[in-house]
Amino acid sequence: MTQALGYLKETASQTAGPYVHIGLIPHMAGFDIFQNNFGNVLVGADTKGERITIEGRVIDGTGVPVSDALLEIWQANADGRYNHAADRQKGALDPDFRGWGRTGAEFKTGLYTFETIKPGAVTGRHKRMMAPHINFWIVARGINIGLHTRMYFSDEQAANEADPVLNLIEQKTRRSTLIANRSERGGNVVYTFDIVLQGDGETVFFDI
Amino acid sequence: MNIQPKPFPDEAESARHPFLPAIDAVEFYQRDRAMHPPAYAPGYKTSISRSPRRALLALQNSLSEITGPVFGHNEIGLLDNDLIRNYAKDRDPIGERIIVHGQVLDENRRPAPHTLVEFWQANAAGRYRHKNDTYLAPIDPNFGGCGRALTDENGYYYFRTVKPGPYPWRNYVNSWRPAHIHFSVFGSGFVQRLITQMYFEGDPLIKICPIVNTIPDQSAIERLIAPLDINASVPADTLAYRFDIVLRGRRSTLFENRLEGN
Ligand SMILES: [Fe+2]
């Protein structure tokens, strides 16, 4: 025997189940209970940065959109700084931007959307710059433990090629699963980011 | 839409919030996946087509992982942690009145103060207020079934509700969920994000539940089962159950290995 280290063990994950909406996005499930709801619009009138829409679907191993998925995003502001005390980078905080949002897939189409701004680049480990990216977390019925991934931007090709995380992906063909395609629609910038849970084109998920 | 958060507290204020690390070199312990269900757990059929099959990419923490959203009391309503009252129309909901309380802490036993805990559940008959729930048990007009709370400075949370009922679901022909409450917890970094379910001491459905049994480790299952806490009950009024939630621990590296430049 040795001395006991005495750490606790992390509580086990369980699926969010089919009714996650009533708990986390009741207003999107047609259920009016909270005065203040957490939603998919991260920007206010005074938020700095380029306005973007992110949209896509979570697709299961049979190719069908997951219509009951819940997604959260977490991102730096336009200056590349997270609204959190652990971020001591030089960029300016934006008082009108928390950088976090939550939404559910549309029950009929499986489409999700976020209204946000394009983040700035953030310094990574060993002082290597990370390309602008948005952190995603996905839960749903049938997902036993939340899935972490990142969305990068198709118009940041040079930064993406130098990104320390994308470069960790051994099969170069899989790096594209993390890059959202930029397009314009009615004067708005739209990035399309589908998340494939399984099979051909399976999104790269992280163990972090 | 989100109400806009306050600007992030200055350093003096962050010093009063110990969960906001005022140091550069922090990262979270590797997640012990032996304590969690695997993505692919065929006894839970829905996981079969929704489970990634390729290896997860191991990633050391950067600022993107150790930071996460902060929530304020101004975002939470006064009745948000009282499911007996937060949707009641003309009387209290039907069911056993219970308090659920506990502490959110990390693997180092360090409390997680001021963190958001959200919960949702079926009513006493086992029916959710959700359009996809078609179980024949009745909706309770006085019960919504969701709530939320911020932990206090020592990581404690509590809420009042009625004990949820078990309900059938389509996995096997005769599958039933044990009574449970769903929990969502944040912590201080986005990689601590956790969704889980709390079960009740003594429920015979726990051991035959395909969702419970996605967890490979028996002690990890037991840590999801809340004991009756008779001392915390309100005599002649409400019983209590205790449910502590452990988030990943944070390492402050002993030697230089900084996450960011400068
Ligand atoms: Fe449930």
Side-chain angles (χ1 to χ4, degrees):
Chain A
M1 288 292 282
T2 66
Q3 295 182 3
L5 283 168
Y7 295 110
L8 299 177
K9 284 290 185 187
E10 186 189 11
T11 298
S13 171
Q14 290 271 261
T15 179
Y19 309 124
V20 60
H21 319 88
I22 73 156
L24 303 187
I25 45 171
H27 59 297
M28 293 183 76
F31 173 28
D32 180 24
I33 186 162
F34 298 139
Q35 254 183 339
N36 169 48
N37 288 290
F38 299 124
N40 64 341
V41 179
L42 285 73
V43 290
D46 299 324
T47 305
K48 297 174 191 68
E50 183 188 18
R51 299 297 193 271
I52 63 171
T53 298
I54 302 169
E55 65 173 33
R57 290 180 175 82
V58 179
I59 297 162
D60 77 9
T62 69
V64 171
V66 174
S67 61
D68 51 9
L70 180 120
L71 303 95
E72 290 184 6
I73 61 174
W74 169 243
Q75 64 170 102
N77 68 22
D79 216 7
R81 183 146 175 208
Y82 286 102
N83 194 346
H84 189 283
D87 187 343
R88 299 300 186 81
Q89 297 176 104
K90 292 190 180 66
L93 286 174
D94 182 345
D96 296 300
F97 191 66
R98 169 155 55 195
W100 174 80
R102 162 191 282 175
T103 196
E106 262 279 319
F107 288 129
K108 285 207 178 83
T109 62
L111 198 70
Y112 76 84
T113 60
F114 287 104
E115 304 296 335
T116 184
I117 49 111
K118 192 175 169 192
V122 174
T123 311
R125 297 182 75 95
H126 312 298
K127 302 183 188 179
R128 286 181 66 184
M129 285 308 284
M130 298 190 282
H133 64 275
I134 293 179
N135 307 288
F136 271 67
W137 182 74
I138 304 112
V139 294
R141 179 173 64 100
I143 294 179
N144 288 324
I145 181 165
L147 299 169
H148 288 274
T149 189
R150 287 184 181 187
M151 185 197 106
Y152 288 84
F153 296 83
S154 64
D155 51 317
E156 295 282 348
Q157 205 177 338
N160 290 344
E161 275 167 19
D163 180 81
V165 171
L166 288 173
N167 276 292
L168 279 178
I169 303 169
E170 194 178 331
Q171 300 85 0
K172 285 188 180 164
T173 52
R174 297 195 69 211
R175 294 177 188 170
S176 62
T177 66
L178 302 190
I179 299 174
N181 225 18
R182 181 184 176 108
S183 61
E184 288 197 19
R185 188 194 301 152
N188 293 322
V189 176
V190 178
Y191 286 91
T192 303
F193 186 54
D194 287 335
I195 294 159
V196 179
L197 295 179
Q198 186 188 101
D200 286 345
E202 184 175 308
T203 297
V204 174
F205 298 103
F206 300 146
D207 188 13
I208 37 181
Chain B
M1 71 170 267
N2 290 344
I3 68 169
Q4 290 305 315
K6 287 187 303 187
F8 202 80
D10 61 25
E11 288 186 18
E13 191 175 342
S14 83
R16 292 196 295 274
H17 291 281
F19 74 111
L20 302 173
I23 47 177
D24 297 315
V26 295
E27 56 192 348
F28 291 97
Y29 299 149
Q30 171 69 49
R31 183 164 250 163
D32 182 355
R33 292 197 175 254
M35 294 292 153
H36 289 282
Y40 174 76
Y44 174 26
K45 293 180 183 176
T46 313
S47 78
I48 294 174
S49 64
R50 294 185 170 189
S51 43
R53 298 298 167 84
R54 303 198 185 277
L56 301 178
L57 181 71
L59 197 62
Q60 278 194 286
N61 290 178
S62 72
L63 281 175
S64 298
E65 285 75 41
I66 68 164
T67 58
V70 176
F71 300 91
H73 285 281
N74 59 330
E75 300 180 85
I76 307 289
L78 287 175
L79 284 179
D80 285 4
N81 72 338
D82 188 355
L83 282 67
I84 288 183
R85 291 284 154 75
N86 71 6
Y87 202 75
K89 301 289 181 265
D90 52 3
R91 67 194 68 191
D92 285 351
I94 301 289
E96 290 176 48
R97 299 158 62 83
I98 62 169
I99 290 164
V100 178
H101 75 118
Q103 189 183 22
V104 182
L105 66 178
D106 75 6
E107 291 169 300
N108 298 316
R109 304 172 189 268
R110 191 160 25 194
H114 315 299
T115 201
L116 182 64
V117 181
E118 298 162 287
F119 19 86
W120 66 100
Q121 63 169 90
N123 67 23
R127 176 82 185 265
Y128 283 90
R129 183 173 289 279
H130 191 291
K131 62 181 173 190
N132 293 347
D133 187 353
T134 56
Y135 180 33
L136 54 78
I139 290 278
D140 183 335
N142 293 300
F143 190 68
C146 65
R148 53 197 184 175
L150 282 177
T151 59
D152 70 12
E153 64 275 15
N154 296 311
Y156 288 96
Y157 74 89
Y158 64 93
F159 61 96
R160 186 168 75 155
T161 186
V162 295
K163 191 175 176 190
Y167 59 85
W169 61 300
R170 293 173 55 78
N171 190 64
Y172 305 119
V173 168
N174 196 15
S175 292
W176 292 76
R177 295 303 322 283
H180 62 276
I181 300 177
H182 297 263
F183 276 75
S184 158
V185 196
F186 278 82
S188 63
F190 202 50
V191 296
Q192 285 180 303
R193 197 78 183 80
L194 182 72
I195 279 187
T196 190
Q197 301 181 29
M198 180 201 109
Y199 303 97
F200 291 86
E201 176 183 4
D203 189 336
L205 290 168
I206 294 171
K207 66 176 183 297
I208 57 170
C209 174
I211 288 179
V212 171
N213 287 323
T214 59
I215 301 171
D217 184 274
Q218 189 57 35
S219 68
I221 291 174
E222 287 163 8
R223 288 192 296 272
L224 296 182
I225 304 173
L228 176 71
D229 183 358
I230 194 74
N231 292 338
S233 64
V234 180
D237 184 319
T238 308
L239 281 173
Y241 288 85
R242 165 112 187 184
F243 186 56
D244 292 338
I245 299 166
V246 179
L247 303 178
R248 294 167 66 181
R250 199 175 69 218
R251 166 164 50 233
S252 302
T253 46
L254 302 178
F255 291 95
E256 184 80 356
N257 184 12
R258 290 193 161 193
L259 302 193
E260 54 181 296
N262 70 44

